Amino acid sequence: MAILAGGEGRRVGGNDKGLLPLAGKSLIERVVGVLKAQVGSILICANRHADEYARFGKVLADAGQGFHGPLAGIANALAHNAADWLLTVPVDAPSPPRDLAGRLHAAATAERADAAVAHDGVRRQPLFALYRSGLAQAAAQALEDDLPVYRWQDGIGTLEVDFSDQAQCFANLNTLEEFREWETRHAR
């Protein structure tokens, strides 16, 4: 699994979003806590605070300087992935589906697809995806071509998998206000 935590944190005052506390635990801690039982190993795509992230898995930084978006993390993780499949998730969704890997894998293998992505019933959730490791070259090319993740997924024939029964699991936190609102809702 690769947790995508390489953003700039512009909407949270430049802070590293994955390390921000949420009801007593960091976002990275929450995501790992939900998904670690579904995967064999954990890669964390992060461009800063590598020592702090290393407590949770092997840290990979984007090639080159700066922040290059989620496809850079996906391409890098695919290049370093030793397993047959790679699950990707964003660090800013604190409650991912507990059956994410299993459902994506079952759908991909049943349809003989090289990639599967969650659909929440309203829209595709492009960062909640499963890829065959053989897609590393295609991801690197898409990154070089400056494609957004969803366009690359379209190009490789990614299968959309219905997760409308768990749509709330894809809620992500982008601002400090959203962090506080989540804490208020889940404190009950």
Side-chain angles (χ1 to χ4, degrees), residues 134-150:
L135 291 170
Q137 185 70 25
Q141 183 61 54
L143 182 62
E144 190 174 306
D145 294 343
D146 199 27
L147 294 180
V149 173
Y150 77 91

Side-chain angles (χ1 to χ4, degrees), residues 54-95:
R55 296 183 313 131
F56 303 100
K58 180 180 178 183
V59 179
L60 302 174
D62 292 349
Q65 298 285 44
F67 300 88
H68 304 286
L71 187 54
I74 294 167
N76 197 13
L78 279 165
H80 288 88
N81 183 44
D84 292 337
W85 292 91
L86 176 72
L87 177 71
T88 64
V89 296
V91 75
D92 61 3
S95 306

Side-chain angles (χ1 to χ4, degrees), residues 19 28 44 48-56 59:
L19 300 174
I28 186 75
I44 301 165
R48 52 190 174 153
H49 303 115
D51 290 344
E52 292 177 60
Y53 280 119
R55 296 183 313 131
F56 303 100
V59 179

Side-chain angles (χ1 to χ4, degrees), residues 58-171:
K58 180 180 178 183
V59 179
L60 302 174
D62 292 349
Q65 298 285 44
F67 300 88
H68 304 286
L71 187 54
I74 294 167
N76 197 13
L78 279 165
H80 288 88
N81 183 44
D84 292 337
W85 292 91
L86 176 72
L87 177 71
T88 64
V89 296
V91 75
D92 61 3
S95 306
R98 294 190 176 277
D99 60 351
L100 181 66
R103 283 173 69 175
L104 290 174
H105 185 261
T109 55
E111 296 294 323
R112 294 188 170 104
D114 288 333
V117 63
H119 191 285
D120 67 10
V122 175
R123 66 182 204 87
R124 179 188 301 182
Q125 295 291 329
L127 302 184
F128 293 87
L130 183 72
Y131 304 100
R132 281 196 193 275
S133 59
L135 291 170
Q137 185 70 25
Q141 183 61 54
L143 182 62
E144 190 174 306
D145 294 343
D146 199 27
L147 294 180
V149 173
Y150 77 91
R151 291 264 318 277
W152 173 61
Q153 289 174 339
D154 288 346
I156 59 172
T158 301
L159 175 70
E160 288 187 354
V161 181
D162 182 15
F163 277 84
S164 58
D165 61 318
Q166 297 183 64
Q168 75 284 357
C169 292
F170 301 101

